[in-house]
Amino acid sequence: MSLDHLKDWVGGVEQQADSATAAPLAGLAATLDHDTPPWPAGEVPPLGHWLYFLPRAPQHAIAEDGHPHKGGFLPPVPLPRRMWAGGDLRFLAPIPVGASLRRTSTIESVEHKAGRSGDMVFVKVLHEIATEAGVAVRERHDIVYREAAKPGEAVPPPAAAEAMPAPDWSRTVTPDPVLLFRYSALTFNGHRIHYDRPYCREVEGYPGLIVHGPLTATLLMDLFLRNAGGRRPAGFRFRARRPLFDTRPFTLHAARRAGDGEEMVEAWALDPDGQVAMTAEILVAP
């Protein structure tokens, strides 16, 4: 499969405006099970900017999977399965609730790879979210596109468990359709893998509803905020390793460590079989 023409999208730029309204943040606090959230009042929490600049495709422009049809700013990758693979963020300044926001997005790279699981396309997008005071968040967003599930294809079996450090903080999360629906509603995410069980099983070949990658990342950040005693993150890097499903509880863990003169927190999510589903590094602000 020749996908070289997709590199024509590299360098493409899109700008959007929004406002850091309070209502989505109250919904996020409720979804994360907080009566009093562990972030400063009057500020958008770390990763809370994902509740803004939401997709607004009209209903006729929605594809079978619940995503908007491909094309426009993102390249029209002819592979049906689209997932949030990871990201690298820097938190440069607080975002006050009520602030006017502008996001400038640039496609940095489009890479085609072929492996044992078939063709894959990786798209890297740089987002800069700014208030009137300047850039507040700089984010590199990794998207992966994969081939359709083959008949009888299943999630890869558990491999040997990775050695992880002894955690300082841990929490068990029981995902269910309500949690996934609430996060989909907060992010205006129509992707059917998060709420349509027959579609997950019969079309995409998954055993259950998939926990959103950004939700898992948000839960790892939330674990830090619950235990950090008011410390702020200066950076956050995460990578999705394997999917989590709503079929059984999963666990979140974090361990403090020092590295190159910086205070870091290593965080990870384990699936019910003890396999690493997501890894993350949190750079703690001085």
Side-chain angles (χ1 to χ4, degrees):
M1 178 184 293
S2 177
L3 298 174
D4 290 344
H5 66 285
L6 297 177
K7 292 185 180 293
D8 293 343
W9 268 256
V10 174
V13 177
E14 177 184 69
Q15 290 193 328
Q16 293 181 284
D18 208 336
S19 179
T21 53
L25 304 180
L28 178 64
T31 301
L32 297 176
D33 208 18
H34 293 301
D35 293 320
T36 302
W39 56 78
E43 290 184 11
V44 175
L47 307 184
H49 68 283
W50 287 342
L51 306 185
Y52 307 111
F53 307 104
L54 303 181
R56 299 296 187 195
Q59 192 65 21
H60 71 265
I62 298 298
E64 180 190 6
D65 64 357
H67 271 312
H69 285 292
K70 297 166 187 172
F73 171 63
L74 289 174
V77 179
L79 300 174
R81 292 199 281 181
R82 174 172 23 179
M83 303 290 287
W84 195 318
D88 188 347
L89 300 95
R90 292 294 180 268
F91 305 109
L92 306 176
I95 299 176
V97 173
S100 296
L101 302 176
R102 178 166 293 278
R103 185 177 76 178
T104 302
S105 303
T106 306
I107 296 179
E108 290 196 320
S109 65
V110 179
E111 299 293 335
H112 171 221
K113 296 182 180 180
R116 289 182 299 175
S117 60
D119 285 296
M120 294 185 291
V121 172
F122 296 86
V123 178
K124 186 181 294 290
V125 182
L126 170 66
H127 300 294
E128 292 189 322
I129 294 91
T131 67
E132 293 180 356
V135 176
V137 178
R138 183 172 290 118
E139 171 182 9
R140 283 181 166 84
H141 173 196
D142 296 325
I143 308 166
V144 60
Y145 298 81
R146 299 175 56 204
E147 292 183 357
K150 299 177 177 62
E153 181 180 342
V155 176
E162 295 183 46
M164 305 302 290
D168 293 303
W169 313 313
S170 297
R171 181 178 176 225
T172 298
V173 175
T174 301
D176 60 26
V178 176
L179 173 65
L180 304 190
F181 167 81
R182 295 178 92 185
Y183 192 78
S184 287
L186 281 171
T187 55
F188 205 58
N189 184 345
H191 199 182
R192 293 170 67 179
I193 62 174
H194 305 304
Y195 60 86
D196 187 336
R197 197 178 303 278
Y199 175 85
C200 280
R201 290 176 172 170
E202 298 165 15
V203 178
E204 301 251 5
Y206 296 118
L209 301 179
I210 295 182
V211 180
H212 315 63
L215 174 56
T216 305
T218 297
L219 287 166
L220 289 173
M221 177 62 76
D222 183 64
L223 180 66
F224 167 78
L225 295 175
R226 286 170 182 257
N227 294 280
R231 300 292 300 278
R232 293 175 179 264
F236 181 71
R237 180 186 298 116
F238 71 101
R239 179 187 169 204
R241 304 281 292 276
R242 59 188 292 121
L244 292 168
F245 303 101
D246 74 329
T247 51
R248 288 189 289 167
F250 61 90
T251 55
L252 309 170
H253 305 277
R256 292 168 290 193
R257 64 178 173 83
D260 299 327
E262 298 177 321
E263 184 179 354
M264 303 286 295
V265 171
E266 185 175 357
W268 62 99
L270 296 182
D271 73 9
D273 297 312
Q275 301 298 302
V276 177
M278 180 175 286
T279 54
E281 289 183 332
I282 302 169
L283 173 63
V284 183

